[in-house]
Amino acid sequence: TQLLEQSPQFLSIQEGENLTVYCNSSSVFSSLQWYRQEPGEGPVLLVTVVTGGEVKKLKRLTFQFGDARKDSSLHITAAQTGDTGLYLCAGADNYGQNFVFGPGTRLSVLP
Amino acid sequence: DTAVSQTPKYLVTQMGNDKSIKCEQNLGHDTMYWYKQDSKKFLKIMFSYNNKELIINETVPNRFSPKSPDKAHLNLHINSLELGDSAVYFCASSQDNGYFYGYTFGSGTRLTVV
């Protein structure tokens, strides 16, 4: 069974600060996805990365897939209060035959 | 237009009752899922259906029975509800297995068993 770990579990920062959250596993994934979940809503897909070393940018968010495809990071530049939420990573093996979610990082951006 | 809609949003019921949660997607996706999110926010897959055919059936008590009348609908029926069934249940859909384009989730059904 593949497991994904996310760190930190909780993060509280001031608006305007930068932050990085991590997603790690001992297993290799075919693809890795990041989702953001706001209270009372379902997770919303932010990005999918499939190539080792791949970097994708989505406005102030930068996603990186590790060279060995076992880990990923999400960096947010100049955080805004609207970035507050639960950030979940999800990894797929065998090209999607098995999909597992990490426990999430709960981010609070304070005004 | 809501892409994945599930009803009801909230469900409070007594132990031993039977309840159903409905899910519909208008995205034209061929795969639908039920996930359970516990109090620690951990998302765990319960079932997956592809074109009305059961693909994934994780270790879930047989009190939980999914039903897919067509590829746009996946309902979840729960018999003899227990306190431990309290959680948020999410329906999701994807094109194929979601490997590249990911999942689209509904807004969840918060089930509270008292």
Side-chain angles (χ1 to χ4, degrees):
Chain A
T1 303
Q2 298 167 300
L3 291 174
L4 277 169
E5 297 177 346
Q6 292 189 244
S7 60
Q9 188 177 358
F10 299 97
L11 184 58
S12 183
I13 61 170
Q14 294 293 133
E15 199 169 25
E17 292 183 357
N18 301 331
L19 67 112
T20 302
V21 297
Y22 301 92
C23 175
N24 296 288
S25 176
S26 58
S27 302
V28 176
F29 291 102
S30 298
S31 75
L32 196 135
Q33 299 175 353
W34 284 92
Y35 292 79
R36 180 169 65 217
Q37 184 179 11
E38 298 185 15
E41 298 296 328
V44 176
L45 180 68
L46 296 174
V47 77
T48 300
V49 285
V50 297
T51 304
E54 182 176 3
V55 177
K56 281 192 173 179
K57 292 193 175 184
L58 184 66
K59 297 182 180 178
R60 295 175 293 100
L61 278 59
T62 302
F63 305 85
Q64 184 162 9
F65 201 11
D67 290 342
R69 291 185 286 131
K70 293 182 178 182
D71 55 86
S72 180
S73 63
L74 159 59
H75 181 81
I76 301 178
T77 303
Q80 299 176 357
T81 55
D83 295 328
T84 293
L86 178 69
Y87 287 82
L88 297 160
C89 65
D93 74 347
N94 284 334
Y95 298 96
Q97 294 305 313
N98 292 299
F99 221 99
V100 59
F101 279 83
T105 290
R106 184 169 297 283
L107 172 66
S108 294
V109 182
L110 306 174
Chain B
D1 281 347
T2 303
V4 178
S5 60
Q6 52 182 111
T7 55
K9 176 78 172 174
Y10 300 96
L11 187 53
V12 181
T13 188
Q14 290 186 324
M15 283 176 55
N17 283 350
D18 302 339
K19 291 293 179 183
S20 293
I21 308 172
K22 295 186 176 182
C23 179
E24 176 182 6
Q25 56 96 2
N26 63 5
L27 296 166
H29 288 167
D30 55 11
T31 308
M32 296 185 72
Y33 312 82
W34 278 110
Y35 273 84
K36 180 179 180 180
Q37 189 171 46
D38 59 25
S39 57
K40 295 185 177 181
K41 303 300 181 184
F42 191 66
L43 265 173
K44 190 170 182 182
I45 191 166
M46 300 173 69
F47 303 102
S48 166
Y49 269 74
N50 179 268
N51 280 318
K52 302 193 300 176
E53 182 182 346
L54 180 65
I55 301 297
I56 295 174
N57 182 354
E58 291 297 311
T59 306
V60 176
N62 58 14
R63 298 180 294 103
F64 290 79
S65 53
K67 191 167 186 179
S68 181
D70 55 63
K71 75 173 193 177
H73 295 83
L74 180 62
N75 304 321
L76 183 65
H77 188 76
I78 316 170
N79 289 326
S80 303
L81 278 155
E82 301 177 358
L83 292 176
D85 297 332
S86 295
V88 181
Y89 292 84
F90 286 99
C91 177
S93 71
S94 69
Q95 188 55 39
D96 299 323
N97 59 20
Y99 161 76
F100 190 81
Y101 294 106
Y103 295 172
T104 302
F105 284 86
S107 58
T109 296
R110 181 175 293 277
L111 172 64
T112 303
V113 183
V114 297

